[in-house]
């Protein structure tokens, strides 16, 4: 019996400590990315480096003076701003009520689904991958045989039943496995959680407690590490502190990636390289600050023969208004005078050029070069060519499109899990559609374009396709049957109509009369003008 207990104890310990090898290697990188995005004064402690000629005291003071514009956070927030600027279409017709309620309050704190997905998208931009857990606040009811069953509508209302979601970042995703022979979904996933012992303000300690939760396709199990006394010594023992079955048939956890990737255990983030470039900029700015300090408060150099024996050198330094002094031997018979030494100002120019280059690369990497100015924020937007800006737009539009597709896939999977928890049938078609383009053309611009196409007598099918895109912008949340009706109307639009009549403003409201001109050209005759006389 004791042997079995020891084996079980060792298995729990091995399970609790186990982490996927790839995630073990990436942990330090993820911690750095998290700190780079969060910023704060603590970031400077680990990320400002001493240069080789610097003393401990000078380094400490330079680190205290260090400053930073958080380009890492700026890039992530700009992408989020563009991604969620467009209209996300969520179908209302035929959608279960439980899904509509979830969209209104997707988290325990009351955030709606758009706010939640924005938070999830921002987190996977930092870490590359996050886990979205869809859970509920009630235990499932049981049948007479003891099997788990979903709550009825009456039971759910009576117990204030709620389905909610929360995000677990990559640092706390410990391990998981896929069903390679089945649907390719998760078999199980192991997540780390943090809770605080603070329910009672007087009795509880307020300590942060670390736990591990294992989600499977049929239940979840919660483990915690506790200190117990074994004889005279104290050791940490892993214990199961909770377990609950569910009848979902799937693991209620979705892996939400920054972009759609085929790699099962890896997902690159948006700032994998940007965070390191941002750190380099901060260190160069700190070095530039040191040059400015030395340029402003130059070092005093005094010939050794200028200091008489017995003089108090510290008093002389104070009289000259500086705390640092450099004494040198001017040579026999020299009449050298004291002077101030300062660094070469060209060094500052080199650092500034490098800083501007790196900052430009940070934003150019993701196609956001237009968000930055040519030199700094006081100069104005850079005057890149239209072709260069077009390529930048295509780069950022491609990035936004892949992120939108990733968010759309994740949100539709969330809808499926919400329906499973509520015990209702999930809709067969996707309820959520994210934008497929992120151009800056507004509806007013589309109307101007439509008028221009009419004036140019563009082909009918070109104008129909443009109208279809306008309808998507005008009515993004239309039901499918209404969209189909409008689509049929557009397909028959201008059918059997003279294209020239479709643009009356181009010809003063009159239809021109076609007449053959020279070399087969078509010209128009004015209805009020008589033909020229042929008589001599």
């Amino acid at each position: 019996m004791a042997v079995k207990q020891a084996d079980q104890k060792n298995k729990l310990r091995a399970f609790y400590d186990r982490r996927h090898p790839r995630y073990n290697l990436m942990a330090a990188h993820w911690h750095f990315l998290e700190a780079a995005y969060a910023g704060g004064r603590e970031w400077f402690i680990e990320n400002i480096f001493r240069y080789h000629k610097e003393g401990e005291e000078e380094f400490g003071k330079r680190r205290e003076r260090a400053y930073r514009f958080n380009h890492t956070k700026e890039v992530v927030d700009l992408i989020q701003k563009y991604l969620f600027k467009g209209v996300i279409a969520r179908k209302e017709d035929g959608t279960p009520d439980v899904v509509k309620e979830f969209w209104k309050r997707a988290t325990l704190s009351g955030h709606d689904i758009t706010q939640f997905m924005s938070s999830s998208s921002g987190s996977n931009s930092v870490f590359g991958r996050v886990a979205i857990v869809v859970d509920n606040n009630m235990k499932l009811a049981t049948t007479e045989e003891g099997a788990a069953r979903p709550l009825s509508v009456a039971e759910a209302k009576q117990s204030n039943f709620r389905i909610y979601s929360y995000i677990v970042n990559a640092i706390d995703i410990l391990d998981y496995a896929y069903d390679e022979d089945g649907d390719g979904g998760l078999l199980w996933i192991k997540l780390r959680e943090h809770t605080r012992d603070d329910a009672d303000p007087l009795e509880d300690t307020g300590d942060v407690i670390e736990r591990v939760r294992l989600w499977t396709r049929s239940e979840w199990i919660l483990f915690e590490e506790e200190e117990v006394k074994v004889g005279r010594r104290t050791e940490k023992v892993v214990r199961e502190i909770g377990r609950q079955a569910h009848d979902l048939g799937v693991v209620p956890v979705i892996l939400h990636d920054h972009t759609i990737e085929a790699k099962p255990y890896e997902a690159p983030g948006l700032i994998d390289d940007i965070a390191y470039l941002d750190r380099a900029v901060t260190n160069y700015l700190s070095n530039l600050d040191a040059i400015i300090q030395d340029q402003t408060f130059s070092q005093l150099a005094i010939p050794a023969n200028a200091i008489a024996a017995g003089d108090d050198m510290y008093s002389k330094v104070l009289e000259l208004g500086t705390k640092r002094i450099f004494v040198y031997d001017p040579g026999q018979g020299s009449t050298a005078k004291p002077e101030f030494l300062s660094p070469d100002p060209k060094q500052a120019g080199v650092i500034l050029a490098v800083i501007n280059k790196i900052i430009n690369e940070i934003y150019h990497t993701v196609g956001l070069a237009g968000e930055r100015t040519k030199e700094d924020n006081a100069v104005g937007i850079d005057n890149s060519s239209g072709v260069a800006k077009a390529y930048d737009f295509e780069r950022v539009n491609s990035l936004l499109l892949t992120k939108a597709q990733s968010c759309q896939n994740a949100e539709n999977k969330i809808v499926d899990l919400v329906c499973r928890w509520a015990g209702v049938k999930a809709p067969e078609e996707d309820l959520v559609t994210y934008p497929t383009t992120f151009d800056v053309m507004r509806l007013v611009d589309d109307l101007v374009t439509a008028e221009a196409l009419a004036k140019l007598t563009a082909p009918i099918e070109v104008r129909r396709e443009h109208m279809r895109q306008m309808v998507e912008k005008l009515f993004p949340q239309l039901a499918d049957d209404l969209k189909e009706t409008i689509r049929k109307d557009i397909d028959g639009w201008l059918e059997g109509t003279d294209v020239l009549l479709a643009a009356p403003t181009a010809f003063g409201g009159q239809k021109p009369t076609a007449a053959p001109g020279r070399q087969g050209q078509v010209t128009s005759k004015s209805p009020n003008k008589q033909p020229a006389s042929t008589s001599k």
Side-chain angles (χ1 to χ4, degrees):
M1 189 69 176
V3 175
K4 289 184 178 180
Q5 289 180 348
D7 289 344
Q8 181 67 16
K9 178 180 174 182
N10 292 334
K11 286 181 180 179
L12 283 177
R13 168 54 62 186
F15 164 77
Y16 192 87
D17 293 337
R18 189 179 74 188
R19 190 173 193 182
H20 191 276
R22 180 62 183 171
Y23 281 32
N24 260 336
L25 294 174
M26 296 292 292
H29 173 66
W30 285 330
H31 280 292
F32 170 72
L33 297 181
E34 182 181 40
Y37 178 80
R41 295 307 303 178
E42 296 82 4
W43 182 85
F44 293 94
I45 297 175
E46 297 292 334
N47 294 284
I48 295 295
F49 305 127
R50 181 190 306 176
Y51 54 84
H52 63 284
K53 293 182 179 180
E54 190 173 29
E56 185 68 31
E57 182 178 355
E58 289 180 324
F59 171 63
K61 291 180 178 179
R62 181 169 64 88
R63 188 168 57 187
E64 290 178 3
R65 297 193 307 266
Y67 56 91
R68 175 191 184 209
F69 178 83
N70 196 336
H71 297 285
T72 303
K73 180 177 175 58
E74 182 73 4
V75 168
V76 174
D77 292 350
L78 282 173
I79 292 297
Q80 290 300 106
K81 178 182 71 174
Y82 293 139
L83 180 61
F84 288 90
K85 182 180 179 181
V87 177
I88 301 171
R90 297 184 177 94
K91 298 179 182 177
E92 296 287 340
D93 296 340
T95 300
D97 291 337
V98 65
V99 175
K100 295 179 182 178
E101 289 297 322
F102 176 82
W103 283 345
K104 294 177 182 177
R105 298 181 64 190
T107 67
L108 285 176
S109 57
H111 293 161
D112 62 27
I113 187 63
T114 301
Q115 294 169 328
F116 175 76
M117 290 305 299
S118 177
S119 178
S120 178
S121 176
S123 295
N124 67 31
S125 292
V126 175
F127 299 103
R129 169 172 293 172
V130 297
I132 298 176
V133 183
V134 182
D135 202 352
N136 68 89
N137 63 344
M138 281 294 295
K139 296 181 179 179
L140 295 179
T142 56
T143 62
E144 294 180 357
E145 293 78 14
R149 67 170 177 83
L151 294 174
S152 65
V153 176
E155 289 173 331
K157 290 182 177 179
Q158 184 178 2
S159 59
N160 194 24
F161 176 73
R162 272 199 62 196
I163 300 173
Y164 62 90
S165 55
Y166 60 92
I167 300 168
V168 180
N169 64 42
I171 296 175
D172 294 321
I173 301 175
L174 302 179
D175 202 358
Y176 52 90
Y178 288 103
D179 181 9
E180 297 180 358
D181 298 328
D183 58 2
L186 288 171
L187 279 174
W188 55 267
I189 188 168
K190 175 185 170 187
L191 304 174
R192 179 165 50 202
E193 300 177 357
H194 297 87
T195 185
R196 191 163 179 254
D197 184 24
D198 59 355
D200 191 322
L202 298 178
E203 299 296 332
D204 292 339
T205 62
D207 296 336
V208 177
I209 303 171
E210 182 179 301
R211 294 172 176 171
V212 168
R213 189 183 300 268
L214 174 66
W215 284 97
T216 70
R217 294 185 171 185
S218 59
E219 64 179 348
W220 60 256
I221 310 172
L222 189 62
F223 300 92
E224 185 176 302
E225 194 176 48
E226 300 178 352
E227 289 187 355
V228 296
K229 287 188 176 181
V230 181
R232 295 183 177 180
R233 60 188 179 84
T234 302
E235 66 178 22
K236 293 183 178 181
V237 178
V238 178
R239 291 182 176 177
E240 178 185 321
I241 62 172
R243 179 190 292 254
Q244 181 176 315
H246 63 75
D247 64 342
L248 302 182
V250 296
V251 179
V253 179
I254 300 162
L255 296 179
H256 185 197
D257 294 350
H258 165 57
T259 56
I260 300 175
E261 292 287 336
K263 298 179 181 179
Y265 294 101
E266 289 185 56
L270 176 65
I271 61 171
D272 281 348
D273 299 319
I274 290 174
Y276 292 94
L277 293 173
D278 190 10
R279 182 174 67 177
V281 169
T282 306
N283 275 275
Y284 284 137
L285 285 172
S286 183
N287 293 338
L288 181 62
D289 175 76
I291 292 177
I292 294 174
Q293 293 287 329
D294 289 341
Q295 192 76 32
T296 306
F297 305 101
S298 304
Q299 186 175 14
L300 179 63
I302 300 179
N305 56 12
I307 303 175
D311 284 348
D312 185 356
M313 185 179 297
Y314 183 70
S315 298
K316 290 183 176 292
V317 170
L318 290 180
E319 291 174 5
L320 292 171
T322 182
K323 292 184 179 180
R324 294 194 299 175
I325 186 171
F326 175 72
V327 181
Y328 67 98
D329 183 7
Q332 187 68 28
S334 174
T335 58
K337 298 179 180 180
E339 57 182 340
F340 286 95
L341 303 178
S342 60
D344 187 355
K346 293 181 180 180
Q347 297 172 352
V350 172
I351 293 178
L352 282 173
V354 173
I355 289 173
N356 290 331
K357 180 65 175 177
I358 295 177
I359 292 176
N360 181 65
E361 288 300 322
I362 287 175
Y363 291 90
H364 183 72
T365 300
V366 291
L368 295 173
E371 291 288 343
R372 298 299 300 172
T373 57
K374 190 171 184 180
E375 296 294 338
D376 56 41
N377 288 335
V379 176
I381 298 296
D382 72 330
N383 53 355
S384 302
S385 68
V387 175
K389 290 182 177 179
Y391 277 112
D392 278 341
F393 167 75
E394 289 301 328
R395 187 182 294 109
V396 71
N397 190 61
S398 176
L399 171 63
L400 292 171
L401 180 59
T402 54
K403 278 191 73 70
Q405 291 173 342
S406 178
C407 288
Q408 178 177 308
N409 293 343
E411 192 170 338
N412 283 307
K413 290 179 182 178
I414 290 175
V415 170
D416 178 72
L417 289 177
V418 170
C419 292
R420 287 176 182 267
W421 275 119
V424 300
K425 183 180 179 181
E428 295 182 358
E429 60 182 8
D430 291 342
L431 299 181
V432 184
T433 304
Y434 275 66
T436 56
T437 182
F438 297 89
D439 58 15
V440 295
M441 182 176 289
R442 300 172 300 168
L443 184 59
V444 176
D445 300 324
D446 283 327
L447 293 173
V448 173
T449 302
E451 184 179 3
L453 290 175
K455 290 180 179 180
L456 291 173
T457 64
I460 294 177
E461 194 55 41
V462 173
R463 297 176 61 190
R464 286 174 180 166
E465 182 61 30
H466 185 261
M467 184 59 67
R468 294 186 189 102
Q469 295 180 8
M470 285 181 59
V471 169
E472 291 293 332
K473 290 187 178 182
L474 278 169
F475 312 110
Q477 298 182 357
L478 274 183
D480 288 340
D481 54 346
L482 289 177
K483 283 187 177 180
E484 186 62 28
T485 301
I486 294 175
R487 192 177 295 113
K488 291 180 179 178
D489 288 343
I490 294 176
D491 291 342
W493 182 46
L494 303 176
E495 191 69 38
T497 304
D498 194 329
V499 178
L500 297 180
L501 283 176
T505 57
F507 300 97
Q510 299 182 15
K511 179 181 177 181
T513 304
R518 288 176 297 180
Q519 298 179 357
Q521 296 177 350
V522 177
T523 60
S524 59
K525 291 184 178 180
S526 173
N528 298 323
K529 187 175 182 180
Q530 299 296 328
S533 176
T534 56
S535 62
K536 295 182 181 179

